[in-house]
């Protein structure tokens, strides 16, 4: 079984990296240069944004 394609667009990932403060690392070293903690924080923030969007739609 192969790896699934990424769910987040590159543009969205770049915006998250800018917001979280490690976009310079992405520009310099690519996505492979970020730490596991940064990747986890990026996913956590994406989930948080999705939840906020869903809650906004309920109102």
């Amino acid at each position: 079984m192969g790896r699934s394609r990424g769910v987040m667009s590159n543009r969205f990932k770049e915006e998250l990296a800018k917001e979280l403060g490690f976009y310079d690392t992405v520009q310099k070293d690519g996505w492979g240069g970020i730490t596991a903690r940064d990747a986890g924080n990026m996913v956590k923030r994406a989930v948080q944004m999705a939840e906020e969007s869903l809650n906004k739609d309920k109102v």
Side-chain angles (χ1 to χ4, degrees):
M1 179 179 277
R3 290 181 69 173
S4 63
R5 292 192 61 169
V7 176
M8 291 189 275
S9 70
N10 279 333
R11 186 173 181 177
F12 183 58
K13 289 192 293 189
E14 289 171 359
E15 290 301 318
L16 288 172
K18 288 176 187 175
E19 180 180 326
L20 296 171
F22 58 87
Y23 184 66
D24 55 333
T25 302
V26 173
Q27 284 185 310
K28 186 176 137 198
D29 301 325
W31 290 107
I34 67 172
T35 65
R37 177 173 284 174
D38 286 339
N41 287 336
M42 190 169 65
V43 171
K44 187 187 307 184
R45 179 65 180 129
V47 169
Q48 182 181 38
M49 291 171 74
E51 288 174 343
E52 289 170 1
S53 178
L54 286 174
N55 287 334
K56 201 180 283 186
D57 290 343
K58 288 181 180 180
V59 174

